[in-house]
Amino acid sequence: MCFTCDARSLGRRGLFATGAALLATAVAPAAQAQTPARPDTPAAAMQELVEGNARYAANLMRRTDFSARRATLAQGQAPFAAVLGCADSRVAPELAFDQGPGDLFVVRVAGNFVTPDGLGSLEFGAAVLGAKVILVLGHTSCGAVNATVEALQKGNTLPGHIASLVTAMKPGIEPALAQPGDDLIRRALVANVRHSVRTLETSTPILADMVARGALAVKGGIYDLATGRVELI
């Protein structure tokens, strides 16, 4: 086997690398100039999520060159919003709100409820990274919510650690079973999201203080799998 380099080939490769570097240098400022300003208030952050979801639902998402921001993001992050979402594979917050890398601080667990680890992560996202809003994002046809409703109605036990999901979601969903009406699953979805919202906005010592000072807002929403639209609740 020959390990001798072809000097001419190496020269061409070096020229190509130099040209690519110069091109990247020339393009990067223009790409950065097109990056929207980061929302700096809870209201502005929420408005950006609303507008981004409208673009997504209408299939008018912004064309984004992720490579242009990659080097900058390697130096640090400053997400403008945090999302507590479900682990469901059909719900991708960055897509649903038409955002790129570095824009959203996402915590996911089946059933989008607050866990100790998730709470700590969201505290970090808000207090350290500067997220202005936390959105608790439920979704239609949520298997975790459906399983919890069925378990509460029938008393059945789910296998393994799946049962712990029902235990955690029970306080938020159980009151919905006592309410009248045929839309039990819808009521359970909303109740589960609102329970997590209340848990987060009253969580001491960090989040409750930020909410009281107006530095952070905690909101809830339901993502419709069929349409891609998020309904704020």
Side-chain angles (χ1 to χ4, degrees), residues 98-151:
D98 191 20
Q99 302 300 320
D103 293 329
L104 301 182
F105 188 78
V106 180
V107 175
R108 301 179 69 169
V109 62
N112 46 268
F113 60 89
V114 182
T115 69
D117 293 340
L119 175 57
S121 296
L122 292 168
E123 288 176 337
F124 181 79
V128 179
L129 299 181
K132 300 301 181 184
V133 64
I134 298 175
L135 179 66
V136 180
L137 187 63
H139 67 92
T140 57
S141 301
C142 180
V145 170
N146 293 346
T148 300
V149 169
E150 184 175 352

Side-chain angles (χ1 to χ4, degrees), residues 114-231:
V114 182
T115 69
D117 293 340
L119 175 57
S121 296
L122 292 168
E123 288 176 337
F124 181 79
V128 179
L129 299 181
K132 300 301 181 184
V133 64
I134 298 175
L135 179 66
V136 180
L137 187 63
H139 67 92
T140 57
S141 301
C142 180
V145 170
N146 293 346
T148 300
V149 169
E150 184 175 352
L152 292 175
Q153 286 180 320
K154 300 180 180 179
N156 57 314
T157 302
L158 298 174
H161 291 84
I162 300 176
S164 66
L165 300 178
V166 172
T167 301
M169 296 170 69
K170 178 180 177 180
I173 292 179
E174 191 168 37
L177 273 66
Q179 298 170 358
D182 298 327
D183 56 344
L184 173 58
I185 296 301
R186 167 70 183 183
R187 295 199 310 272
L189 281 172
V190 172
N192 184 53
V193 168
R194 286 179 173 167
H195 180 74
S196 291
V197 169
R198 288 193 300 271
T199 298
L200 291 173
E201 65 186 3
T202 59
S203 177
T204 56
I206 295 177
L207 298 185
D209 176 66
M210 293 184 70
V211 170
R213 290 188 286 108
L216 176 73
V218 184
K219 303 292 184 179
I222 302 291
Y223 175 87
D224 189 290
L225 290 179
T227 67
R229 294 186 177 90
V230 174
E231 176 191 357

